Amino acid sequence: MNRPDWNIALPRPVQLAIDRLEAAGYQAWLTGGALRDLLRGQLPQDYDLTSAAPPEQIRQMFADCPLDQTGAVYGVTTVFLEGMALEIAAFRKEGDYQDGRRPGFVEPAASVEEDLARRDFTVNAMAYSPCRGLTDPWGGLADLNDRLIRTVGLPDRRFQEDGLRLLRALRFAAALDFEIEPETAQAIRRQTEMLRHISAPRAGQELGKLLCGPGAARVLDQFPGSAAWALPQLAQQMENPTQRRQTLETLSQAPPNLAIRLAIALSASGNAAAAQTLTRLGFSAALRDQVCQLIVWQGKELPQSEAGLRRLLRALGPEQTHRLLDLQKARNPKSEAVSQARQSLTRILAREDCYDLPALAVRGRDLQALGLEGPAIGQMLAWLLDQAIERPELNRRESLLALAKQRKDGTHAGKQV
């Protein structure tokens, strides 16, 4: 279906790139996720163009711009135009898939329609040209309006070609909060074995986007088997009706933070198993540590005193403490303890109470002047931090030095130490 009457406002760099290609005699179209998001009234994260221009012509036409040739093997050139990264690809078609992941060959296509025919889902298989309007040969606009994920062509064949498309279907359904069209859904369940062709890090990327989507709980409830390969711990949780309900309810209540949602998905596992899974899936060491820390702390009772919360901040830091409160709130939305802890935490941070060494009003060189050296300096700083955490008013240089001198001399508050 072609809609020549469509008029979509494009960002200036996108319009300039299309104008430059068209002026050289080559058709140029906005396509993929960028067009899908614009049609939904959302701001795209990136912009993809497809053109009749061969890759070498694209490079020549944009020789005055910074270029990235990382995708050159697929005929893709990234052009940086007025500060915006635009991926510009030549029309292309694909040969038969040989390994359940990649086409046997990629070669130039004769038209945008032929290019769109190789794409995964109808909502991603539309193209827009300012001078030609919207072309939609697979009914993507109708599916977009109906909030459906449907494959381009026969779903079993699409998934047999590339197992990653199974996870992409689930990811789009979760991220867009769409339903998966019935025949496509049945094919996902039939073709689950194709997931073995996906590299673990690539699966991790899709899984992370899936878990953070507003429809994550619903999608995992409908397709628990498809998550089993990537997250066996989650699959185990889903086998138990009570755990399944608790996990899905917690996911639906949790903010779309990847560390929090991974902690929920992996909550049935120990730290070692969670760390191993996250490493296998290619998540960063920093994220892995955050998730494992949340798993350890998620069941602990929150301190209600401000001193206890300052100790919690000392152990976790502000961002991780907020994640822990969000996680515990998701597990128990009616918890007064979490609400009170959050209010106290807000006051503590607003007052800039001391809870870590960088905020302590003395430094090691101050203690050297008292005659301390070596490990004794670190021990004294740790002790002074404990005092400041218990009584924030003590976090003044003079007060802390007086305490340090008393402790060094063997007395504190008139008592032997």
Side-chain angles (χ1 to χ4, degrees), residues 25-29 50-54 89-91 110:
Y26 296 105
Q27 284 191 16
W29 303 77
T50 186
S51 173
F91 294 161

Side-chain angles (χ1 to χ4, degrees), residues 217-230:
R218 173 180 51 78
V219 169
L220 290 174
D221 189 30
Q222 293 173 346
F223 301 92
S226 298
W229 177 84

Side-chain angles (χ1 to χ4, degrees), residues 281-334:
L281 292 173
F283 291 112
S284 69
L287 179 64
R288 181 193 63 209
D289 293 345
Q290 290 171 8
V291 173
C292 291
Q293 195 174 50
L294 288 174
I295 291 173
V296 169
W297 285 81
Q298 64 180 338
K300 293 186 178 182
E301 186 175 348
L302 288 172
Q304 292 303 298
S305 70
E306 289 196 348
L309 284 169
R310 286 189 288 270
R311 285 191 291 271
L312 184 62
L313 283 168
R314 181 184 186 180
L316 302 183
E319 291 185 2
Q320 186 74 334
T321 300
H322 279 297
R323 292 188 194 101
L324 177 62
L325 295 181
D326 286 339
L327 175 56
Q328 292 207 4
K329 188 69 172 180
R331 292 200 177 284
N332 187 1
K334 298 181 180 179

Side-chain angles (χ1 to χ4, degrees), residues 119-316:
R119 298 180 183 248
D120 48 11
F121 305 109
T122 61
V123 295
N124 298 331
M126 297 177 283
Y128 174 73
S129 162
C131 55
R132 296 177 186 83
L134 181 74
T135 184
D136 180 19
W138 297 96
L141 185 60
D143 285 340
L144 196 64
N145 291 333
D146 291 338
R147 304 175 66 83
L148 285 177
I149 299 298
R150 183 196 311 268
T151 59
V152 170
L154 299 174
D156 282 287
R157 179 177 178 181
R158 295 278 92 165
F159 295 134
Q160 288 169 358
E161 288 174 341
D162 184 354
L164 184 65
R165 289 174 177 156
L166 278 82
L167 284 184
R168 282 174 59 83
L170 302 184
R171 185 254 284 190
F172 284 127
L176 300 175
D177 205 10
F178 283 15
E179 292 288 342
I180 297 180
E181 178 270 331
E183 290 187 10
T184 301
Q186 292 171 12
I188 289 173
R189 297 185 177 98
R190 286 193 296 267
Q191 300 297 333
T192 300
E193 178 65 17
M194 293 300 300
L195 291 169
R196 63 186 175 85
H197 295 287
I198 309 171
S199 72
R202 192 67 184 88
Q205 293 176 19
E206 296 294 333
L207 184 67
K209 296 173 183 176
L210 187 165
L211 285 173
C212 288
R218 173 180 51 78
V219 169
L220 290 174
D221 189 30
Q222 293 173 346
F223 301 92
S226 298
W229 177 84
L231 284 179
Q233 296 94 333
L234 177 59
Q236 293 170 9
Q237 291 171 222
M238 300 291 275
E239 290 173 0
N240 180 294
T242 301
Q243 285 187 337
R244 183 189 189 115
R245 185 183 68 255
Q246 291 174 344
T247 297
L248 295 175
E249 287 179 353
T250 304
L251 272 175
S252 65
Q253 294 288 335
N257 176 275
L258 184 54
I260 294 172
R261 296 210 170 185
L262 281 169
I264 295 168
L266 294 167
S267 61
S269 65
N271 254 14
Q276 185 178 27
T277 295
L278 294 169
T279 300
R280 175 175 61 84
L281 292 173
F283 291 112
S284 69
L287 179 64
R288 181 193 63 209
D289 293 345
Q290 290 171 8
V291 173
C292 291
Q293 195 174 50
L294 288 174
I295 291 173
V296 169
W297 285 81
Q298 64 180 338
K300 293 186 178 182
E301 186 175 348
L302 288 172
Q304 292 303 298
S305 70
E306 289 196 348
L309 284 169
R310 286 189 288 270
R311 285 191 291 271
L312 184 62
L313 283 168
R314 181 184 186 180
L316 302 183

